[in-house]
Each structure stands twice: as structure tokens, then as C-alpha cells.
């Protein structure tokens, strides 16, 4: 478990602010203890200080994961969020998209959200904003990036892509071995 | 009868001269015929060993008996007759003899051999001779005959279109070959140094034949920047400059290898640092986002229009009434007013 370098920390926070904006502070400034980000094999883990100390007693070779995996740094040094981060992103996300029950499965199979599947969208979502995607019953099922702003959505044709797929909870099954 | 006794006596004398071939032992000997070794595990007669007069005879007889047993074993093997001599083929030895010299250490693998071993690449055997279609004869893999064949084949080398037409292709070829030989020699020396764990000085960036790749160029730029007396500390940075990354790059940059790992910050310090970093990210001066501006404008327009529509419906009635009392200083133009056929207007009489 390494401490993230400054460059990587910035990349991580920049990515997180795309989804939850100012609320990133709440992830670090928590009343229930100190939490931090640690890196292991290019994967970033969100872990409490107490748990980290316990994890450090395990030999690094034997430790597979500790805390919650937020995502990983690619070979080109870009940060990519994993679906495992959804638990922390969903409650704080200011921008959301609700998909119709008929389009849920399409999304969970890794497809983009199209206009016909769009149930509801937060007002004033700018283009290329990270959003959390919910079902109509307010259960978060993944996150994506908006392809059209809310105002543009109104005039889009039914097959136009509204949000690009980034991660969905179907990945827990589809890419079980690479998630960690 | 005299003759008979005489013969018997002579025979007895003969028998006394030669000892019997059978030997009695308490424990059987451990005999390894392959190495012609017999091991006697029976107890020695200490009394005869300690007395000076008997010791030699005792040891001699013991040695004879044991040799006899060994020879008996040898005679049990199938014999052959080669050139009037009786010969026995000994079996493989059972006893393991210790080495006189230490076991030789395995040769240290070269870098390529290590790589090939890890990847499972095995050497393929090439034929020593190869049929050359062009020359219509068998050409060896190497040697003077090979170089002669090459010379015969390359009586003319075409100059490619993309290079200078006046280049000497023969010279180019030979220089390429000598470069290859030099590279091979360098790698051989490097392998030796690696095996002996000698530290080799840095040689800078790898020499490339023609064009450098993007990573090589970026590495070169970073190395050049750090190659000042202050290790590039006061060098300006380009707006989108990236630090070169990759395997072995870090070692090339001056001053980098000596950098020690930063100590792990305490939780409080780390938290503070992170919060500062987040503030810096959030307070970044917002760019003028055209998309955002346009969409905002569209949104405003739409809301305005929808509000107008809502307001329009109830205010339709009074507006109409307003239209009737339309006073203006302008002269009414023809064809714009409302026609009222019932109204009688005085005018020119039409014929």
C-alpha cells in the first residue's frame, strides 16, 4: 500500500469532482475517523486509517485488497473509476439520470443510455458531466458521462445517446476477476 | 602300492602349497564387482593384531581370503576369450565415489538466454547448408564460402527511392554489418559485467538507426532539461509538458536516482494536503465553456417562451380590444386596412 504521488492524487480528485463536485471534501473530511487513499498495483483504495494499520500487518505479497477499490491507473497514467466506487459516489452526486425499467437491462449489459430509455434527468446538466444512473425506484445502477445537456435532450431523437456508459453494477458479474 | 602312495603324497604336497578357494566368514562380504571392491564387516582378531610377530601373517591371510572371495565373485560372471586371454565384462559399479573437485557452477545466463528461458523460447537447429535458388547451389550458413556466395549475389544493389541516389550501398551494407558486430561485442561485455555484478556507467539514450520514438524523444527532452548544474530545478516548464515515464527512464534522468522515498505523512498532514489539493482543483478559474453558455442560453430562451405562452392565453381578449383604438400619426397605407363592405364611404364616382 503506497501513498499516492501528488500527480496521481490530483488525477484522482479531478476525476471524482467530475462526478460529485464539491462533495469530494466529504470523503476526506469525515466525522467518523480519518480516511485516505492508498495505491497498490496501480489500483486506488479508499480506506480508513484504522483499517489501514491492520492491513499493514499483512505481508504486501499476500495482501490482495483492503478497503474499497475506487479505480485504477491505466498504463497511460489516466485514472479510471470502477463500479466499486459507486457506494461512495451515488449519495453525493448532484447530477443524476433515471432510466426507464425497460432500458435498465440494456444499460446493465454495458450499453449507453439512449433517449428512449431516459426516464428523468436532473435540470441543467452540462455536457460531458459525470452522472450517476438510477432506476426509476432510485436505486443507483452505475455511472456515465452525459453526451447531451438537459436542454439538448428535449430535442434529441429517440435513438440518440444521452449518456455514455462508464460503469454499471453488471460488471460485478461480467468482469469479476479484473475488478478487485 | 608304492607308486600310488607316492602320487598321493605328491598331490597332498601340491594341495598344501595352494590354499583352498572356499573361505568361511561369519558375515558375508559386501562386494561391488563393478569397482572391484570388497568390504569386510567382520570383527578383526585383536589379539593377533596387537602381537608384533603375528600381525603381518594375520593381515596377509585376511587380505588373501577377501581377495579370494572377490575373485570367486568375478569368476561367476560370464567369461569371454579374446586373443588367448580370458576376459570378463564387469557390471556397472554400485558404489558412489566422491568427487575430487567441486561441482562446476552453471554458466551465468546472458540477458537473452534469461529472457528466452522465461518465455520458453528454444533454439531451433539450422541446417549447415542451404539451397540457394538464385545461385543454384548449396550455400553454407557461415564461412568463406558463404561470404563468397553473398558477394556473387550482390553484384548489384538497388538504391531505394527514398534515400540519396549517390549513396554507396556496399559501404552502407558493410557499415551496418560492422555496427551489428560492435553491438554484439558490447552486449557480450555487458553480460560479463552483469554476471560479475560490476556496475557499468550509463551510456545515455539508446542509439537508434533512423527515427526516435515518442517515448525516446520525451526521455531525451527530460534528460536534457535535467542536465544542468542544479539538475534542472530552475528550468521553465512548458504548458502541457509531461514527465517521461517507463521502464529504465528514471535511471537515465540525472539527480533522480538519488532521490529518497518521501516519508509516509501522518494522517492529519495527509488529510490537510488532500483538502488543499481539492480546493485548488475546485477553485480553478472556470474556462469559458461555449457548450455550457449556449445550452444556458437555449434554456433561458425556452423558459421565457414557455412563460410567454402561459401568459398569452389569458391576455388574448383585452389585446383585441386595444387593436381597435389604434391611433398613430402615420398616414394609413392602402391595402393594409380592414375592409368593411357594409360601410358607405363617399368617394369618386366610378363609371
Amino acid at each position: 500500500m503506497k501513498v499516492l504521488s501528488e500527480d496521481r492524487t490530483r488525477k484522482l480528485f479531478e476525476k471524482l469532482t467530475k462526478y460529485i463536485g464539491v462533495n469530494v471534501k466529504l470523503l476526506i473530511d469525515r466525522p467518523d475517523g480519518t480516511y485516505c487513499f492508498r495505491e497498490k498495483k496501480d489500483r486506488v483504495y479508499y480506506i480508513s486509517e484504522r483499517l489501514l494499520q491492520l492491513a499493514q500487518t499483512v505481508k504486501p505479497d499476500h495482501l490482495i485488497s483492503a478497503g474499497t477499490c475506487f479505480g485504477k491507473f491505466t498504463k497511460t497514467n489516466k485514472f479510471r473509476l470502477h463500479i466499486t466506487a459507486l457506494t461512495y459516489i451515488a449519495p453525493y452526486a448532484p447530477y443524476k439520470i433515471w432510466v426507464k425499467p425497460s432500458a435498465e437491462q440494456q444499460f446493465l449489459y454495458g450499453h449507453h443510455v439512449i433517449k428512449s430509455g431516459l426516464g428523468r434527468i436532473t435540470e441543467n446538466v452540462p455536457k460531458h458531466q459525470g452522472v450517476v444512473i438510477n432506476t426509476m425506484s432510485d436505486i443507483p445502477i452505475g455511472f456515465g458521462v452525459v453526451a447531451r445537456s438537459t436542454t439538448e435532450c428535449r430535442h434529441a431523437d429517440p435513438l440518440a445517446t444521452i449518456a455514455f456508459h462508464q460503469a454499471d453494477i453488471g460488471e460485478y458479474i461480467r468482469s469479476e476477476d479484473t475488478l478487485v | 602300492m608304492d607308486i600310488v602312495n607316492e602320487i598321493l603324497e605328491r598331490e597332498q604336497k601340491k594341495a598344501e602349497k595352494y590354499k583352498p578357494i572356499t573361505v568361511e566368514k561369519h558375515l558375508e562380504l559386501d562386494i561391488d564387482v563393478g569397482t572391484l571392491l570388497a568390504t569386510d564387516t567382520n570383527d578383526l582378531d585383536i589379539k593377533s593384531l596387537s602381537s608384533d610377530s603375528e600381525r603381518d601373517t594375520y593381515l596377509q591371510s585376511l587380505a588373501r581370503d577377501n581377495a579370494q572371495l572377490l575373485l570367486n565373485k568375478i569368476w561367476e560372471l560370464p567369461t569371454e576369450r579374446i586373443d588367448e586371454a580370458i576376459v570378463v565384462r564387469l557390471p556397472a559399479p554400485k558404489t558412489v565415489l566422491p568427487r575430487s573437485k567441486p561441482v562446476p557452477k552453471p554458466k551465468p545466463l546472458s540477458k537473452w538466454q534469461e529472457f528466452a528461458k522465461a518465455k520458453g523460447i528454444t533454439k531451433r537447429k539450422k541446417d549447415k547448408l542451404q539451397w540457394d535458388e538464385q545461385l543454384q547451389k548449396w550455400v553454407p550458413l557461415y564461412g568463406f564460402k558463404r561470404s563468397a556466395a553473398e558477394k556473387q549475389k550482390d553484384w548489384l544493389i538497388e538504391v531505394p527511392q527514398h534515400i540519396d541516389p549517390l549513396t554507396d550501398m556496399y559501404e552502407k551494407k558493410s557499415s551496418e554489418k560492422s555496427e551489428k558486430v560492435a553491438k554484439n561485442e558490447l552486449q557480450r561485455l555487458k553480460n560479463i559485467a552483469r554476471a560479475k555484478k560490476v556496475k557499468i556507467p550509463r551510456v545515455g539514450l539508446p542509439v537508434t538507426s533512423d527515427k526516435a520514438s515518442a517515448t525516446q524523444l520525451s526521455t531525451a527532452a527530460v534528460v536534457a532539461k535535467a542536465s544542468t548544474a542544479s539538475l534542472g530545478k530552475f528550468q521553465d516548464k512548458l504548458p502541457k509538458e509531461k514527465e517521461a515515464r517507463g521502464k529504465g527512464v528514471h535511471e537515465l534522468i540525472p539527480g533522480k536516482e538519488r532521490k529518497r522515498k518521501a516519508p509516509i505523512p501522518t494522517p492529519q498532514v495527509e488529510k490537510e494536503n488532500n483538502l488543499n489539493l481539492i480546493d485548488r482543483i475546485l477553485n480553478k478559474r472556470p474556462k469559458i465553456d461555449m457548450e455550457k453558455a449556449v445550452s444556458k442560453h437555449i434554456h433561458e430562451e425556452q423558459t421565457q417562451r414557455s412563460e410567454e405562452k402561459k401568459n398569452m392565453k389569458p391576455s388574448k381578449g383585452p389585446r383585441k380590444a386595444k387593436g381597435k383604438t389604434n391611433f398613430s400619426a402615420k398616414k394609413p397605407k392602402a391595402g393594409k386596412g380592414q375592409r368593411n363592405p357594409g360601410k358607405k364611404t363617399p368617394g369618386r364616382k366610378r363609371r
Side-chain angles (χ1 to χ4, degrees):
Chain A
M1 288 257 157
K2 271 192 293 184
V3 179
L4 286 156
S5 69
E6 197 182 336
D7 175 45
R8 287 197 158 184
T9 321
R10 187 186 302 112
K11 272 178 184 151
L12 167 70
F13 286 148
E14 268 168 7
K15 180 69 87 176
L16 283 174
T17 45
K18 268 184 193 151
Y19 286 88
I20 55 179
V22 196
N23 295 336
V24 187
K25 280 183 186 175
L26 298 178
L27 285 178
I28 293 160
D29 204 4
R30 280 171 69 142
D32 60 334
T34 44
Y35 277 71
C36 55
F37 290 98
R38 285 287 183 275
E39 178 190 12
K40 185 176 171 63
K41 281 171 116 185
D42 279 349
R43 267 151 227 276
V44 176
Y45 295 92
Y46 181 60
I47 186 171
S48 81
E49 204 67 48
R50 216 177 60 79
L51 191 60
L52 180 68
Q53 274 170 358
L54 292 176
Q56 269 161 353
T57 59
V58 181
K59 203 177 165 193
D61 295 354
H62 297 160
L63 189 71
I64 290 172
S65 124
T68 311
C69 180
F70 256 47
K72 71 164 189 183
F73 279 99
T74 59
K75 295 263 160 53
T76 47
N77 215 15
K78 293 184 183 98
F79 184 70
R80 192 158 291 173
L81 274 173
H82 278 170
I83 186 62
T84 39
L86 186 68
T87 346
Y88 292 97
I89 285 175
Y92 297 126
Y95 297 109
K96 285 173 193 169
I97 280 181
W98 287 264
V99 290
K100 288 176 185 165
S102 56
E104 269 172 32
Q105 200 189 37
Q106 277 292 309
F107 179 71
L108 290 181
Y109 281 0
H111 298 284
H112 300 315
V113 178
I114 55 171
K115 173 74 188 297
S116 61
L118 185 71
R120 212 144 69 88
I121 184 166
T122 324
E123 282 283 318
N124 281 331
V125 181
K127 210 171 186 180
H128 305 314
Q129 165 73 36
V131 286
V132 167
I133 289 157
N134 291 357
T135 62
M136 288 311 272
S137 49
D138 267 346
I139 299 164
I141 54 169
F143 42 82
V145 169
V146 166
R148 281 155 200 269
S149 59
T150 312
T151 45
E152 279 176 313
C153 280
R154 294 212 176 114
H155 307 295
D157 59 303
L159 285 176
T161 309
I162 298 297
F164 296 120
H165 167 272
Q166 293 283 307
D168 63 77
I169 51 173
E171 273 169 41
Y172 279 117
I173 294 166
R174 271 187 281 129
S175 44
E176 194 181 12
D177 45 347
T178 55
L179 265 182
V180 175
Chain B
M1 278 309 275
D2 272 0
I3 302 164
V4 174
N5 280 341
E6 212 172 287
I7 291 167
L8 278 176
E9 242 171 59
R10 213 188 289 156
E11 284 296 308
Q12 212 172 352
K13 269 186 183 170
K14 246 185 193 173
E16 272 171 13
K17 201 177 167 189
Y18 296 109
K19 284 183 178 164
I21 59 161
T22 52
V23 181
E24 287 283 317
K25 285 272 180 185
H26 284 300
L27 294 173
E28 261 192 38
L29 293 195
D30 194 6
I31 293 172
D32 179 15
V33 189
T35 45
L36 299 178
L37 173 77
T39 323
D40 192 354
T41 45
N42 290 301
D43 285 342
L44 293 168
D45 187 4
I46 293 169
K47 201 185 270 175
S48 48
L49 261 182
S50 51
S51 73
D52 285 343
S53 55
E54 276 178 50
R55 191 188 296 136
D56 278 0
T57 48
Y58 170 68
L59 285 176
Q60 257 176 18
S61 71
L62 190 67
R64 190 219 79 93
D65 287 355
N66 288 342
Q68 181 65 59
L69 280 170
L70 179 63
L71 282 170
N72 287 351
K73 259 276 166 18
I74 291 167
W75 274 108
E76 280 173 19
L77 295 170
T79 53
E80 286 175 62
R81 190 173 277 275
I82 298 171
D83 294 344
E84 302 298 314
I86 298 167
V87 174
V88 166
R89 200 171 290 280
L90 295 178
K94 283 186 289 180
T95 356
V96 182
L97 296 173
R99 286 179 69 94
S100 63
K101 284 187 176 159
V103 184
K105 275 176 195 155
K107 239 184 177 178
L109 294 177
S110 72
K111 202 165 185 183
W112 158 251
Q113 281 169 331
E114 248 171 35
F115 175 77
K117 207 177 169 190
K119 290 274 177 192
I121 302 166
T122 46
K123 221 173 181 178
R124 250 186 293 145
K125 197 137 194 174
K126 278 187 216 159
D127 285 338
K128 280 219 166 160
L129 286 174
Q130 240 175 358
W131 179 252
D132 197 312
E133 277 297 329
Q134 203 179 328
L135 299 177
Q136 290 294 309
K137 66 176 177 189
W138 290 95
V139 175
L141 202 60
Y142 51 84
F144 76 98
K145 276 187 179 168
R146 168 62 177 238
S147 69
E150 288 277 293
K151 220 174 251 176
Q152 207 179 343
K153 264 166 89 176
D154 287 341
W155 62 277
L156 180 79
I157 309 178
E158 208 175 322
V159 181
Q161 216 138 46
H162 61 271
I163 61 168
D164 181 29
L166 290 174
T167 43
D168 186 354
M169 291 306 282
Y170 290 102
E171 200 176 278
K172 199 180 170 192
K173 204 176 172 190
S174 71
S175 77
E176 257 172 25
K177 167 118 191 189
S178 64
E179 221 160 85
K180 263 187 212 166
V181 172
K183 189 189 167 196
N184 203 359
E185 178 66 12
L186 180 71
Q187 274 171 342
R188 188 182 70 86
L189 293 174
K190 264 187 184 173
N191 278 328
I192 292 169
R194 216 163 51 92
K196 291 192 173 167
K197 289 185 180 149
V198 179
K199 218 178 178 190
I200 336 164
R202 273 204 307 253
V203 284
L205 295 172
V207 184
T208 46
S209 56
D210 200 11
K211 281 172 201 142
S213 70
T215 46
Q216 280 171 345
L217 285 175
S218 68
T219 315
V222 171
V223 169
K225 232 177 95 174
S227 302
T228 62
S230 49
L231 299 173
K233 200 181 173 186
F234 303 106
Q235 241 60 23
D236 290 334
K237 226 180 179 185
L238 290 169
K240 275 188 178 173
E241 195 178 313
K242 275 180 187 167
E243 193 89 328
R245 296 167 66 247
K247 208 180 166 194
V249 171
H250 197 261
E251 285 75 31
L252 286 174
I253 301 166
K256 280 278 173 170
E257 77 271 31
R258 258 167 270 148
K259 204 174 174 186
R260 224 177 286 151
K261 251 188 195 172
I264 296 169
T266 58
Q268 271 66 41
V269 173
E270 197 187 348
K271 188 172 151 188
E272 220 163 83
N273 286 347
N274 282 346
L275 285 175
N276 284 341
L277 187 60
I278 292 170
D279 276 339
R280 247 182 289 151
I281 291 167
L282 291 172
N283 293 342
K284 251 189 199 167
R285 197 194 279 170
K287 297 179 284 181
I288 298 173
D289 193 350
M290 282 308 285
E291 288 282 348
K292 211 171 176 179
V294 167
S295 67
K296 211 170 192 178
H297 185 72
I298 292 171
H299 180 69
E300 270 170 19
E301 261 184 8
Q302 279 175 350
T303 47
Q304 209 181 331
R305 213 176 295 157
S306 67
E307 265 172 35
E308 251 175 45
K309 262 186 191 170
K310 272 178 203 166
N311 294 340
M312 277 275 268
K313 273 176 190 168
S315 68
K316 244 182 185 172
R319 257 197 191 179
K320 241 185 183 175
K322 234 183 191 174
K324 266 189 181 174
T325 54
N326 191 12
F327 296 110
S328 64
K330 263 187 188 170
K331 195 180 165 188
K333 278 199 169 166
K336 292 263 171 166
Q338 275 183 338
R339 277 174 186 268
N340 195 351
K343 200 185 172 186
K344 279 193 175 171
T345 40
R348 193 171 64 89
K349 197 176 179 182
R350 294 180 182 99
R351 289 208 180 139

